[in-house]
Amino acid sequence: MINRDNKDASNNGDRPDHGASDAIASRLKQYYKSVEAEPIPDQLLDLLEKLDEAERSGGDNGAN
């Protein structure tokens, strides 16, 4: 049987915990900033250069 007199217990799952959300958001921002500061791997830079060269030469490479 549900005790409807105890409003705090019945609404506990309905209230968002903003403190936890703020903490998670802060940690995610911190993580993304650390990833953003990492250097771009040489393999990726080489691939981007090859793609630029293909565009400049007018190569279609099968893409439409």
Side-chain angles (χ1 to χ4, degrees), residues 4-25:
R4 298 187 189 277
D5 293 334
N6 190 349
K7 292 180 182 178
D8 289 338
S10 65
N11 289 333
N12 209 12
D14 296 339
R15 289 188 312 222
D17 185 356
H18 293 294
S21 296
D22 291 344
I24 291 169

Side-chain angles (χ1 to χ4, degrees), residues 3-64:
N3 183 358
R4 298 187 189 277
D5 293 334
N6 190 349
K7 292 180 182 178
D8 289 338
S10 65
N11 289 333
N12 209 12
D14 296 339
R15 289 188 312 222
D17 185 356
H18 293 294
S21 296
D22 291 344
I24 291 169
S26 177
R27 293 291 299 226
L28 282 172
K29 286 177 187 176
Q30 192 177 42
Y31 175 73
Y32 288 136
K33 283 184 180 187
S34 73
V35 170
E36 187 178 48
E38 291 180 7
I40 299 172
D42 289 338
Q43 285 181 313
L44 182 56
L45 291 173
D46 291 342
L47 178 60
L48 290 171
E49 182 61 34
K50 287 178 183 178
L51 289 170
D52 285 342
E53 288 175 14
E55 283 183 351
R56 284 191 295 264
S57 69
D60 185 22
N61 292 336
N64 289 330

